[in-house]
Amino acid sequence: MSPLSHIHSITSRILNAPKNASGELFTACDELYKALLQITGIDVEEEDNRLTQTLNSGNAIGLTWAAMCIKDYKRTKRFMDGIYEATIDKLKTVEGRPVHILYAGTGPFATLVLPLTARFTEEQIKFTLLEVNEPSFNCLQKLTGTLQMEKYISNIQKADATKWELPQSEPVDIFISETMQQGLAKEPQVELCMNIVPQLPTGTVMIPQQITLTPALINPGKRMQKKLGNPDAGNDIHLFEPIFTLNKKTTLRYADGRLPAFPETTTNIPAALISSYPLLYLLTDIIIYKKEKLLIDNSQLTLPLKLAELNRQQPVSVTFQYHLGTRPGMRFSVQCL
């Protein structure tokens, strides 16, 4: 079996598998990871491949860590499903040319679009691929050559997508970027979107379509009992109103000013609530495309991010503000009331 046929076989298994087929998906994603390592010949233990690149907009993770994202099998499955569905939808409306997919922050394998080359021809889809990390970009070039993907590629560049300018002659139908961690911390997802989205046509689909950050109080004992399957554990999480949303609308709203931080939001927490739920966390919910979502605990991206342990005796006011720059993320301060 050729390398291309092997990859297509694995990605088809991922697309075809039911969402709840955890064992099957875990195995397929692990096989995909190993197959891509073998094709490219990269050494994930090599120090240069582990180095994070620091940008003005945050961290571009090293090749090793970007490659390992495949192993987060629910994340891989749901992103692949969402992108496949978005491509199907766009093929119904785009006429006279291929659907153009801009993938910013591809990592070494452009993993999320690999299944598309098994399902669509070069007359139906084409890619613009951007990657800023040099070892990852070199690996991407080798992979696309080995898999004979050149016919699908309109443009492939080593570029910082937070500063990249879209050629006017290249209308984009689907824009993909998954350069993030839980809580939208450290990596440049927000600033990348703020650069790219204003350059896109109105009808471009952005994937993920929406990322929401929500503060929550957690009772650790009840949470552990629920994880152990205890049906009588009770409610382990108290949610507040969302404090930050990243989608096309909010991106366009704040992109013009390019301020170093977004507006502040304040959440008041009564003492009685703190006594039952003493730990303050930030939750990340991701709408990939339509019904394809990643919610709490579905992925490394959506594990609750611990912020603080609150004083159980006093009500508090927590002020949140999302910051851009070299250390992007949600900052907060706690004041006793």
Side-chain angles (χ1 to χ4, degrees):
M1 184 181 293
S2 70
L4 180 60
S5 297
H6 187 202
I7 295 301
H8 282 173
S9 173
I10 301 171
T11 58
S12 290
R13 283 164 50 202
I14 295 172
L15 281 183
N16 292 337
K19 288 178 177 54
N20 60 356
S22 295
E24 184 179 348
L25 287 168
F26 175 87
T27 299
C29 288
D30 188 58
E31 286 182 25
L32 181 61
Y33 170 74
K34 291 175 180 176
L36 291 169
L37 290 187
Q38 185 174 16
I39 290 170
T40 54
I42 63 173
D43 180 2
V44 293
E45 299 298 330
E46 185 178 329
E47 188 61 31
D48 286 350
N49 291 337
R50 292 171 167 259
L51 294 178
T52 294
Q53 183 174 344
T54 302
L55 309 173
N56 291 333
S57 53
N59 294 336
I61 62 172
L63 180 157
T64 294
W65 316 117
M68 290 178 66
C69 289
I70 297 174
K71 289 174 168 284
D72 191 346
Y73 66 91
K74 289 184 180 179
R75 170 183 179 177
T76 298
K77 163 68 173 172
R78 294 182 191 184
F79 266 95
M80 284 185 175
D81 282 357
I83 291 166
Y84 177 71
E85 185 178 351
T87 304
I88 290 287
D89 287 347
K90 278 296 179 183
L91 282 167
K92 296 173 184 176
T93 61
V94 173
E95 298 180 356
R97 62 175 178 81
V99 169
H100 184 195
I101 300 170
L102 168 61
Y103 188 178
T106 62
F109 304 139
T111 307
L112 301 180
V113 298
L114 286 179
L116 302 183
T117 62
R119 302 290 176 100
F120 306 108
T121 68
E122 63 268 31
E123 285 79 28
Q124 293 175 299
I125 60 170
K126 66 175 179 179
F127 305 133
T128 289
L129 306 177
L130 307 178
E131 173 55 45
V132 68
N133 180 277
E134 186 165 0
S136 285
F137 179 74
N138 293 338
C139 182
L140 178 67
Q141 284 189 305
K142 181 176 181 178
L143 180 71
T144 54
T146 302
L147 297 184
Q148 301 173 330
M149 288 177 61
E150 294 98 331
K151 59 188 177 182
Y152 287 98
I153 297 174
S154 170
N155 191 2
I156 180 170
Q157 287 188 34
K158 179 181 177 296
D160 181 349
T162 66
K163 301 175 180 179
W164 186 75
E165 293 186 10
L166 176 68
Q168 294 298 312
S169 59
E170 295 282 342
V172 173
D173 303 297
I174 300 172
F175 160 53
I176 304 165
S177 184
E178 195 265 276
T179 50
M180 59 178 288
Q181 296 184 29
Q182 58 193 138
L184 287 170
K186 300 180 181 179
E187 293 188 44
Q189 179 83 22
V190 177
E191 194 152 347
L192 191 156
C193 290
M194 291 177 69
N195 177 53
I196 297 293
V197 170
Q199 303 182 60
L200 301 175
T202 304
T204 302
V205 171
M206 172 174 151
I207 294 180
Q209 287 186 301
Q210 182 164 290
I211 303 166
T212 304
L213 303 183
T214 304
L217 295 179
I218 290 180
N219 181 306
K222 290 182 178 180
R223 180 165 165 80
M224 179 58 68
Q225 287 298 310
K226 288 192 79 169
K227 283 181 171 290
L228 293 173
N230 181 355
D232 301 319
N235 187 19
D236 60 325
I237 297 177
H238 180 90
L239 291 174
F240 295 96
E241 290 296 315
I243 55 173
F244 184 85
T245 299
L246 182 70
N247 55 30
K248 282 179 68 175
K249 183 178 179 180
T250 58
T251 299
L252 290 169
R253 183 188 306 160
Y254 295 111
D256 285 345
R258 279 297 185 99
L259 299 174
F262 286 73
E264 291 184 348
T265 302
T266 299
T267 300
N268 293 324
I269 307 175
L273 200 55
I274 295 171
S275 65
S276 298
Y277 302 90
L279 303 182
L280 178 65
Y281 279 79
L282 191 63
L283 306 188
T284 309
D285 292 336
I286 303 171
I287 299 175
I288 298 166
Y289 183 71
K290 293 186 175 178
K291 295 181 179 180
E292 297 298 335
K293 301 176 182 181
L294 288 171
L295 304 179
I296 185 171
D297 295 332
N298 288 160
S299 160
Q300 291 292 324
L301 296 179
T302 60
L303 292 176
L305 179 64
K306 186 177 179 180
L307 300 181
E309 182 168 358
L310 301 178
N311 186 322
R312 302 186 186 203
Q313 306 301 319
Q314 292 179 284
V316 299
S317 173
V318 186
T319 300
F320 299 94
Q321 188 175 37
Y322 190 88
H323 284 251
L324 302 171
T326 56
R327 293 174 52 248
M330 188 65 68
R331 300 183 193 177
F332 71 99
S333 61
V334 180
Q335 299 290 329
C336 294
L337 295 176

